Amino acid sequence: MIHSLLAVYYREMLIMRRRLTRLIPSWSVSPLLYLIAFGYAMGKHVEIDGHSYMEFLIPGLIAMNSMTQSFAIASEINIARFYWHIFEEIQAAPVSDLSYVAGEVLAGITRAILSTTVILILGTIFGVNLSCNFMFWLGVLLNSFVFSSLAVGLAMLVKSHGDQVLLTSFVITPMAFLGGTFFPLENFPVWGQNLIHILPITHAAKAIRAASLGNTPQISSYVVMAATGCLFFVLSVMCVKKAKD
Amino acid sequence: MIKVENLNKIYKSVHALKDINLHVKKGELFAYLGPNGAGKSTTIRILTALTNPTSGTVSINGFDIKNSGFAFFKSNSIKSRQQCGLVPQSINLDQELSVYENLTIHGLLFRMGKSERNKKIEELLSYVDLSSRKESLVKELSGGMKRRLMIARALMHSPSVLFLDEPTVGLDAGMRRKIWGLIKKIQQQGTTIFLTTHYIEEAEFLADRVAFLDTGTILVVDTPSNLMSRLGTWALDRLIEDKMEPIYFSNREEANSYIASQNESFTLRRVNLEDAFLSMTGKKVK
Ligand SMILES: Nc1ncnc2c1ncn2[C@@H]1O[C@H](COP(=O)(O)OP(=O)(O)OP(=O)(O)O)[C@@H](O)[C@H]1O
Ligand SMILES: [Mg+2]
């Protein structure tokens, strides 16, 4: 079990290492743009709960980025499955569905953690020092667990890479903007707030922000993320079968 | 070694395999011959647990390939997979990784230890003549090299059965001969080989036994020499109304006396497996 999990993970890491020189710039570009556009241009005079807008924004960016980057594992899986047919090589090997999903999820989490580090470095350059304590990293970890599990499951269900792109723009992109990443949720109408509170990304943004600004995050956020992650993970394992035929 | 009973596979609109029964013996080289769309790849995909059969049973070395029970851990199918090596029809290597990395990942997937892995990699790369390309990225290899790498990869975990799905498709004549030699060599090491092809001469050259498959049905299973001797040993090709109609003779004298009785000229040739196939199916394979 652990052996084949590591094999799946190792493969993703080898591919990622080859691409690292392209990935790091791509991880930096969009946070950089947000920081310049929202942080500098708009946020000079904005203050939220006693913090500068930049301090508010960076944890949000980290929540958003750990979501999109861990979800991006779906593209890797799809490319391997539809263009390179690697999925068959793994399926023909003595690898259980559980090990396969666990290996891919772990790869998604690793990707999210690396891109989070990139943002933290950018933040330092912009003069924002967050406290990266245990609860902060736990938030990042659980958030990427939720979205890489979701990604693997959806990657098993789609019939082409095009469908995947569609899912990303309908599921992930809206969440990226709504989940309390760029602006405080208090500005929304109540029904909207309730709706948004169902999204796991909202809990991630809240938890990561509270932890990184030195406040005490709500344990319930972590519980919601862990539970959602586990649910998606189990569903993903059940979806692997569906990817055959 | 491989046992298939009453196997059926139905895709939404296609009945791809109809009541297939097969028994491949240990150490045998079994060729599965049929035209495009006959169901060759589907059979291999079922035998290697990539696709589930609609009905019927399949076992490899005594292990049922179907997963019994809960999907999380599938012990039976995992045991049968450990026994099998697969070279699929389409190239499925990691193009962005090196030859060495591709083989290493395969070794890891099959739970091989590091020293065992590296020893096997050296051994197999020299076996398929790719030692000098160990560090090359797969995307920099030629088509023939990729095929040979796929064969090497399938042999990494020393499978007792090797499935080859059209291993020489798209290769030039020289490379094809080379791969034939390689396949023979693998068989001599004691590996059972299940090979699909639509090149008749490939089956004739390599196989101990051949199955003719046409639109999902096995027409006949026998040794190439038995299949050919059903027709005779010598053949003459006649042209009758735009169609080539061979006549078969059991010995050379008969054939010669037939030629003498006609006032055309014929070229006498040996009966080959293609004759056997055509007389069974009434159509051309390629
Ligand atoms: N995933 C699939 N979904 C639906 N039909 C399929 C699928 N795979 C194969 N088929 C159908 O099953 C039949 C057998 O296909 P298969 O790929 O096994 O043929 P083959 O003998 O390998 O042919 P080729 O020589 O072209 O590789 C074909 O009619 C094909 O259209
Ligand atoms: Mg085929």
Side-chain angles (χ1 to χ4, degrees):
Chain A
M1 146 93 204
I2 200 80
H3 228 90
S4 33
L5 183 163
L6 288 177
V8 174
Y9 179 68
Y10 180 67
R11 176 181 165 268
E12 292 288 358
M13 289 306 106
L14 281 177
I15 293 175
M16 193 156 90
R17 196 182 65 189
R18 277 264 143 68
R19 297 206 195 128
L20 215 53
T21 47
R22 275 171 287 157
L23 280 174
I24 289 180
S26 86
W27 290 338
S28 330
V29 169
S30 74
L32 205 59
L33 287 176
Y34 287 122
L35 284 176
I36 293 170
F38 294 124
Y40 261 138
M42 188 192 93
K44 272 225 168 97
H45 312 289
V46 183
E47 210 174 73
I48 298 165
D49 297 335
H51 294 284
S52 73
Y53 184 64
M54 209 68 129
E55 283 173 334
F56 177 86
L57 179 62
I58 291 179
L61 279 179
I62 287 172
M64 177 179 108
N65 221 65
S66 52
M67 169 177 78
T68 49
Q69 288 306 319
S70 55
F71 193 80
I73 194 77
S75 304
E76 300 297 326
I77 295 173
N78 278 316
I79 291 167
R81 185 170 153 217
F82 295 117
Y83 300 128
W84 295 348
H85 308 283
I86 309 284
F87 185 66
E88 303 193 344
E89 155 77 358
I90 295 169
Q91 284 301 303
V95 175
S96 69
D97 296 352
L98 177 65
S99 317
Y100 173 70
V101 172
E104 295 289 4
V105 165
L106 209 58
I109 292 175
T110 309
R111 202 180 153 116
I113 286 177
L114 288 177
S115 65
T116 299
T117 314
V118 169
I119 298 183
L120 285 173
I121 293 170
L122 286 177
T124 318
I125 295 172
F126 277 74
V128 177
N129 280 309
L130 300 171
S131 74
C132 302
N133 47 32
F134 174 74
M135 289 313 261
F136 167 82
W137 285 112
L138 186 65
V140 172
L141 190 90
L142 285 176
N143 189 35
S144 43
F145 173 56
V146 169
F147 287 99
S148 36
S149 299
L150 178 67
V152 178
L154 291 177
M156 295 295 104
L157 293 178
V158 295
K159 296 277 182 268
S160 73
H161 187 49
D163 295 354
Q164 183 72 49
V165 176
L166 217 63
L167 275 175
T168 308
S169 46
F170 277 107
V171 180
I172 297 301
T173 312
M175 281 210 263
F177 281 91
L178 294 178
T181 43
F182 294 124
F183 32 77
L185 290 174
E186 289 78 47
N187 300 351
F188 278 96
V190 175
W191 62 267
Q193 286 187 34
N194 290 338
L195 202 69
I196 286 167
H197 263 115
I198 303 171
L199 303 176
I201 183 68
T202 314
H203 293 279
K206 265 171 54 185
I208 291 172
R209 181 170 290 131
S212 62
L213 296 180
N215 304 330
T216 319
Q218 286 173 348
I219 298 301
S220 64
S221 293
Y222 291 84
V223 174
V224 171
M225 286 193 279
T228 322
C230 289
L231 177 70
F232 286 163
F233 186 87
V234 171
L235 290 175
S236 286
V237 175
M238 285 157 60
C239 286
V240 176
K241 265 209 313 298
K242 295 246 191 307
K244 298 182 189 179
D245 286 315
Chain B
M1 195 75 198
I2 306 175
K3 219 180 202 164
V4 177
E5 275 163 5
N6 301 320
L7 176 67
N8 278 278
K9 176 69 188 180
I10 302 174
Y11 291 111
K12 271 177 207 109
S13 57
V14 189
H15 198 156
L17 294 175
K18 298 165 195 152
D19 281 321
I20 301 287
N21 287 286
L22 278 177
H23 193 169
V24 179
K25 293 181 221 121
K26 193 168 160 44
E28 191 174 31
L29 202 157
F30 190 90
Y32 210 48
L33 186 66
N36 291 128
K40 304 184 294 294
S41 299
T42 304
T43 309
I44 285 208
R45 293 175 56 83
I46 290 174
L47 291 176
T48 51
L50 293 176
T51 298
N52 291 320
T54 309
S55 68
T57 55
V58 177
S59 69
I60 308 273
N61 221 355
F63 297 109
D64 198 315
I65 59 135
K66 269 249 235 7
N67 314 314
S68 42
F70 204 40
F72 268 57
F73 309 93
K74 25 190 169 178
S75 52
N76 260 346
S77 105
I78 280 179
K79 275 181 198 141
S80 84
R81 289 187 213 180
Q82 192 84 47
Q83 314 266 331
C84 300
L86 169 65
V87 179
Q89 188 169 355
S90 47
I91 304 273
N92 72 341
L93 298 160
D94 261 310
Q95 305 281 337
E96 282 186 42
L97 299 181
S98 70
V99 168
Y100 174 78
E101 288 166 337
N102 267 277
L103 295 174
T104 301
I105 290 168
H106 186 92
L108 284 169
L109 286 170
F110 282 83
R111 301 148 197 231
M112 295 167 73
K114 185 167 184 182
S115 60
E116 185 194 2
R117 236 164 38 219
N118 287 337
K119 190 167 144 260
K120 200 78 191 183
I121 289 175
E122 297 299 333
E123 183 188 317
L124 285 170
L125 285 181
S126 78
Y127 196 60
V128 298
D129 230 353
L130 283 175
S131 293
S132 60
R133 306 305 298 262
K134 189 172 157 187
E135 300 301 333
S136 306
L137 295 185
V138 168
K139 62 182 173 197
E140 296 161 356
L141 301 182
S142 77
M145 292 174 178
K146 285 181 191 163
R147 282 275 156 206
R148 279 180 290 157
L149 177 57
M150 300 238 295
I151 295 176
R153 185 182 63 177
L155 293 172
M156 270 296 282
H157 58 287
S158 317
S160 50
V161 192
L162 181 63
F163 293 94
L164 298 163
D165 198 350
E166 308 202 12
T168 63
V169 83
L171 300 182
D172 68 41
M175 183 56 72
R176 232 159 105 203
R177 298 271 154 178
K178 234 174 157 170
I179 288 188
W180 287 358
L182 185 60
I183 293 172
K184 279 270 189 211
K185 216 159 83 184
I186 297 165
Q187 187 198 11
Q188 279 159 13
Q189 321 253 312
T191 310
T192 309
I193 298 180
F194 188 100
L195 164 137
T196 80
T197 180
H198 56 244
Y199 296 122
I200 294 187
E201 64 282 15
E202 185 160 299
E204 188 173 338
F205 181 80
L206 288 171
D208 297 321
R209 279 192 307 148
V210 181
F212 287 166
L213 185 76
D214 193 18
T215 55
T217 312
I218 291 187
L219 302 171
V220 67
V221 183
D222 211 336
T223 63
S225 60
N226 281 349
L227 288 167
M228 292 186 285
S229 64
R230 288 183 189 189
L231 297 174
T233 35
W234 295 90
L236 286 176
D237 293 313
R238 287 177 311 178
L239 192 65
I240 300 173
E241 293 168 5
D242 293 354
K243 268 173 68 186
M244 290 294 266
E245 284 275 343
I247 340 174
Y248 303 108
F249 303 95
S250 51
N251 56 53
R252 193 157 190 159
E253 288 70 45
E254 261 179 49
N256 280 333
S257 64
Y258 177 83
I259 295 174
S261 74
Q262 304 284 311
N263 47 17
E264 293 168 63
S265 69
F266 294 98
T267 348
L268 196 57
R269 60 173 179 81
R270 285 250 172 204
V271 169
N272 59 33
L273 200 58
E274 185 162 341
D275 295 319
F277 187 86
L278 290 177
S279 74
M280 303 266 336
T281 60
K283 65 177 172 184
K284 197 121 179 112
V285 178
K286 261 191 256 183

